[in-house]
Amino acid sequence: MSSITDLIRKEIENLSTDATRTNVGTIATLADGVARVEGLSKVMYNEMVEFPNNVLGIALNLEEDSVGCVLLGETSLLKEGDEARTTGKLLSVPVGKGLLGRVVDAVGRPIDEKGPIDSDITYPVERIAPGIIPRKSVTQPLQTGIMAVDSMIPIGRGQRELIIGDRSTGKTTIAIDTIINQAKINKKGIESGDADFRPVYCIYVAVGQKNSNVARTIKVFEETGAMEYVTIVSAPAADNPANQYLAPYAGCAMGEWFMENGMDALIVYDDLSKHAVAYRQISLILKRPSGREAYPGDVFYLHSRLLERSARLNEDNGNGSLTALPIIETQMGDVSGYIPTNVISITDGQIFLETDLFNKGIRPAVSVGLSVSRVGSAAQIKAYKKVAGKVKLELAQFRELAAFSQFESDLDAATKARLDRGARIVELFKQNAFNPVAVEIQTSVMWAVQNNFFDSIEVSNIASSVDSLKEYLLTQGTEVCEEIYKTGKLEKETEEKLRSALEDWKRTQS
Amino acid sequence: MLKDSKSLKIAKGLVELSLNEEGRVEPEKINQILTELKNEPTRRSLPILRKFLTLIKQQINTYEGSLEKFDSNADSSSNLISDNISQARGKKINLVIKENKSLIAGFRMRIGDDVYEDSIASRIARLKKSLT
Ligand SMILES: Nc1ncnc2c1ncn2[C@@H]1O[C@H](COP(=O)(O)OP(=O)(O)O)[C@@H](O)[C@H]1O
Ligand SMILES: [Mg+2]
């Protein structure tokens, strides 16, 4: 009892006795989650504005005689004529490790019924991205666990790699797989007790998705044991556009905390097309002039200022990183739309997924020709680079040759060999959802292909052979895999060990 | 809705015409302007009048405010507040004194969009907020 009275007494002592000065205004119009407020002459751009009944808004449009505020929360509690007041604060969200394993809304409030968030630090959702000086180029790999990506489109920590494709081509699945793989690597690394191990913490931002989809994603994380390293920020389709607009920035602030405290984090924005649509909706209600595809003129800035906040910091600044995997949904494979071209130009590369490939059963449906990682190859581990260096070219040549060879009956031996190898690599890259593969296993399997271990196997049997090889490496071949994992290299000695392990496996096959 | 910049320009001109030397709104002059507008109505009359109204309100707000107190009769502090704010703003501010029993004690002053408040009611509100 006394502790409560003490608490109240302390609060009373803390209250300043000075007169407070606030800037106020009144709601002139109220529609679609946006309030036009008359007055508020001293409000700042992006400042939080307080309305009655604990409703908050953000000042987005500063005009001569009125201010446009997007409202967060229950807008039905407000009416025209209500008073609005400035707070002098920018919108902030809780950050820190207390958010791991939690599901929160766009302003960081828990929505998973696991009690309050254990965090006493907040970061503003809008921040200036790190400049050039504190940054460093990408050097450490971020393993997605997806063979097609890790071998041909390697991603480094601090990179921004776009995942782009039509609806239902496996975009979300690639992002989820990557997160599951981080959790796997984190667990292994932390168990090994290696002091230099750097876990990757993950943030998944769901914008404008169906609630059922978000629920399914959460379930996957829980079932795979990844949830303890993941924070989910959810602004589903039913949420008002203001929350959908804010969610990516809120998630980014949570990721920045890891980066600025010398840790590594990964953030997925699923997806920025819906984010742009929410922003367009807000802008139209605010009566901003609209341009191409009815988007407002600053829609480029909407995404550039978000993605620029992902970075790799140098040693003087703690060595942390924030890797971003933004997702864009295209219409009928058209990458020349306004939003896709914008985001392509901001990111360091893209993983392009094709409906055709997906329907042919080539999943993940990564298009080799159109996908690229502009910085990640510097971060690929040496062993993998050695075996996968030429794969992208081989596969691209295969696609070309395959198209021509349809008309050709007798092919020369070299062409035939290329076609055979290509067909096997295509099979090799097929991978089920939610089934990421460790990089040392990937390296070994790729080495096996490059050293003709699969040449005698029928193309239609490749998938099952690869599965059996992976299984073999996980059980019997652990020693050599462990060596690749620890050193990241593939020296002559290791190569010999790998060859003998593969020969053992090959004998079990016939 | 396009921004009607022409009406705004005209309205601003009209505000200039309605002020006296001290920068205060002169009712006489406003009457004149309104009669003029009525005699020669144009397509723009309505938007001009709307803008005119907001601008005049803004103008009045720069030198007139309200001071709410629990008891409107206790006058010495009101003069003090009025003098202080006039000095701070660099021009004479008229304060209209109103009674507001819900403040319990203290004052609440409003000049334009700015609200200065130090009352028991506001402290209780702050306390309530910090405890939730
Ligand atoms: N590699 C894969 N293997 C098998 N099925 C997959 C694979 N990737 C995605 N799918 C399935 O395809 C469907 C669409 O995937 P999803 O990732 O939700 O697509 P998007 O996010 O592009 O709309 C899901 O049912 C998913 O399980
Ligand atoms: Mg999806």
Side-chain angles (χ1 to χ4, degrees):
Chain A
M1 204 52 212
S2 72
S3 69
I4 293 178
T5 52
D6 279 350
L7 186 71
I8 296 176
R9 189 172 301 125
K10 216 174 102 219
E11 286 294 339
I12 291 173
E13 279 163 7
N14 282 343
L15 288 178
S16 71
T17 50
D18 298 334
T20 56
R21 174 178 170 172
T22 46
N23 199 252
V24 300
T26 47
I27 300 181
T29 60
L30 193 62
D32 304 302
V34 169
R36 204 169 57 77
V37 180
E38 274 174 1
L40 289 182
S41 53
K42 297 201 176 64
V43 74
M44 299 178 287
Y45 181 65
N46 263 331
E47 183 178 343
M48 265 203 282
V49 178
E50 216 175 63
F51 291 91
N53 294 313
N54 280 328
V55 177
L56 285 176
I58 299 172
L60 274 192
N61 245 31
L62 309 184
E63 287 168 37
E64 199 164 19
D65 50 359
S66 69
V67 175
C69 294
V70 293
L71 300 170
L72 312 166
E74 204 37 74
T75 54
S76 59
L77 297 172
L78 300 180
K79 57 184 187 308
E80 281 170 21
D82 276 351
E83 191 180 80
R85 46 174 62 213
T86 57
T87 60
K89 280 185 274 192
L90 300 175
L91 182 65
S92 302
V93 288
V95 296
K97 283 195 175 169
L99 281 143
L100 294 173
R102 303 300 304 268
V103 185
V104 296
D105 69 3
V107 286
R109 289 176 299 212
I111 48 175
D112 53 4
E113 288 165 359
K114 288 187 193 163
I117 302 281
D118 177 22
S119 156
D120 46 13
I121 328 159
T122 60
Y123 267 22
V125 297
E126 292 274 3
R127 296 181 103 205
I128 305 284
I132 301 167
I133 308 299
R135 289 187 194 234
K136 178 177 143 177
S137 60
V138 171
T139 53
Q140 269 186 311
L142 186 118
Q143 314 289 356
T144 63
I146 299 161
M147 281 196 79
V149 176
D150 287 344
S151 62
M152 298 185 292
I153 322 155
I155 299 171
R157 295 189 187 183
Q159 186 174 345
R160 297 150 305 170
E161 183 78 9
L162 171 65
I163 302 173
I164 184 167
D166 280 2
R167 56 174 289 273
S168 217
T169 48
K171 302 183 297 298
T172 303
T173 307
I174 289 196
I176 292 176
D177 271 345
T178 307
I179 292 178
I180 295 173
N181 199 40
Q182 302 317 307
K184 267 188 165 178
I185 297 173
N186 290 352
K187 279 191 190 136
K188 185 172 175 187
I190 289 166
E191 262 169 33
S192 76
D194 179 0
D196 292 332
F197 179 74
R198 298 175 62 86
V200 176
Y201 301 97
C202 305
I203 296 141
Y204 178 82
V205 184
V207 181
Q209 295 188 32
K210 280 182 285 199
N211 270 322
S212 60
N213 277 356
V214 182
R216 206 175 58 199
T217 305
I218 295 171
K219 195 158 155 264
V220 171
F221 287 146
E222 268 163 3
E223 282 170 0
T224 52
M227 199 60 201
E228 59 178 301
Y229 297 103
V230 183
T231 302
I232 295 176
V233 182
S234 175
D239 221 339
N240 66 31
N243 284 339
Q244 294 182 42
Y245 158 71
L246 276 172
Y249 299 101
C252 190
M254 294 167 191
E256 266 170 341
W257 181 84
F258 289 107
M259 174 171 75
E260 289 182 2
N261 287 284
M263 290 173 268
D264 291 326
L266 163 74
I267 185 160
V268 173
Y269 304 109
D270 194 0
D271 64 60
L272 291 186
S273 310
K274 299 198 182 74
H275 181 231
V277 168
Y279 186 59
R280 174 168 66 185
Q281 196 176 337
I282 292 170
S283 301
L284 290 175
I285 298 166
L286 286 170
K287 300 202 168 65
R288 288 180 174 173
S290 53
R292 190 171 155 195
E293 292 176 29
Y295 287 104
D298 63 346
V299 71
F300 183 84
Y301 180 54
L302 174 80
H303 290 147
S304 63
R305 73 173 193 268
L306 173 69
L307 294 170
E308 274 290 296
R309 285 162 70 181
S310 294
R312 172 73 204 273
L313 299 180
N314 60 22
E315 277 80 7
D316 295 343
N317 289 279
N319 213 7
S321 75
L322 179 60
T323 312
L325 294 180
I327 295 179
I328 287 281
E329 188 164 294
T330 50
Q331 310 290 331
M332 317 267 293
D334 178 17
V335 287
S336 65
Y338 191 21
I339 303 301
T341 45
N342 277 352
V343 181
I344 286 173
S345 75
I346 301 163
T347 47
D348 306 308
Q350 69 273 350
I351 299 170
F352 188 78
L353 303 175
E354 273 182 305
T355 312
D356 274 0
L357 296 175
F358 190 85
N359 291 341
K360 274 190 211 152
I362 302 176
R363 302 177 188 181
V366 177
S367 157
V368 182
L370 292 176
S371 301
V372 57
S373 167
R374 284 192 269 274
V375 294
S377 73
Q380 202 171 24
I381 66 165
K382 286 211 177 64
Y384 209 176
K385 204 184 274 184
K386 194 166 168 185
V387 294
K390 290 178 302 194
V391 167
K392 193 165 188 226
L393 191 67
E394 277 177 358
L395 209 48
Q397 280 176 343
F398 164 72
R399 292 265 154 83
E400 234 165 69
L401 282 175
F404 278 114
S405 63
Q406 285 175 348
F407 312 106
E408 209 62 56
S409 51
D410 49 351
L411 299 160
D412 62 283
T415 312
K416 195 159 177 324
R418 263 197 208 146
L419 282 173
D420 283 352
R421 176 63 53 85
R424 283 174 173 76
I425 295 174
V426 169
E427 287 301 312
L428 173 70
F429 282 161
K430 286 185 184 170
Q431 196 174 332
N432 279 335
F434 315 136
N435 192 17
V437 178
V439 67
E440 59 274 14
I441 306 274
Q442 290 189 29
T443 310
S444 309
V445 174
M446 187 63 79
W447 191 89
V449 175
Q450 302 288 27
N451 288 277
N452 312 327
F453 276 86
F454 285 97
D455 288 2
S456 60
I457 298 167
E458 279 294 314
V459 171
S460 57
N461 292 335
I462 294 279
S464 59
S465 294
V466 168
D467 282 344
S468 109
L469 175 56
K470 282 178 191 163
E471 191 58 41
Y472 183 85
L473 288 168
L474 277 175
T475 49
Q476 262 103 312
T478 43
E479 197 197 316
V480 63
C481 286
E482 208 52 28
E483 216 168 292
I484 300 173
Y485 171 77
K486 287 227 174 74
T487 61
K489 291 194 193 112
L490 200 56
E491 306 287 9
K492 267 262 131 20
E493 233 172 273
T494 323
E495 237 168 325
E496 282 318 310
K497 274 189 206 160
L498 185 57
R499 184 182 297 279
S500 77
L502 288 170
E503 272 160 4
D504 287 347
W505 165 73
K506 197 75 198 264
R507 274 193 285 279
T508 67
Q509 285 296 292
S510 45
Chain B
M1 187 177 66
L2 284 172
K3 289 268 138 31
D4 193 349
S5 56
K6 191 133 192 193
S7 312
L8 183 65
K9 226 172 174 174
I10 296 172
K12 274 182 179 164
L14 292 180
V15 172
E16 288 295 317
L17 292 176
S18 354
L19 304 181
N20 61 17
E21 303 83 61
E22 290 163 22
R24 301 201 163 194
V25 176
E26 194 83 49
E28 193 93 326
K29 293 185 176 176
I30 293 206
N31 268 335
Q32 257 175 20
I33 289 170
L34 291 181
T35 345
E36 269 320 295
L37 277 177
K38 230 185 277 172
N39 289 344
E40 279 178 61
T42 70
R43 191 170 51 83
R44 279 220 189 81
S45 297
L46 187 62
I48 292 175
L49 269 177
R50 283 213 181 106
K51 295 256 153 63
F52 186 51
L53 175 65
T54 22
L55 290 175
I56 286 290
K57 265 196 211 156
Q58 275 175 13
Q59 190 62 34
I60 294 175
N61 277 339
T62 62
Y63 60 83
E64 215 171 85
S66 66
L67 179 63
E68 290 167 39
K69 301 178 70 183
F70 176 78
D71 184 358
S72 58
N73 294 326
D75 234 353
S76 62
S77 68
S78 311
N79 284 336
L80 195 68
I81 291 172
S82 155
D83 287 349
N84 274 333
I85 191 72
S86 300
Q87 205 176 7
R89 300 231 160 177
K91 66 171 146 189
K92 177 93 186 94
I93 308 272
N94 291 351
L95 289 179
V96 180
I97 296 177
K98 293 178 188 162
E99 197 176 88
N100 185 347
K101 293 287 181 202
S102 72
L103 293 179
I104 305 175
F107 73 96
R108 178 182 157 99
M109 174 171 62
R110 179 166 179 161
I111 301 162
D113 296 345
D114 285 326
V115 175
Y116 302 81
E117 180 160 5
D118 189 11
S119 66
I120 296 295
S122 74
R123 286 196 207 179
I124 290 174
R126 251 185 295 162
L127 178 63
K128 207 164 115 188
K129 212 168 160 192
S130 69
L131 288 177
T132 49

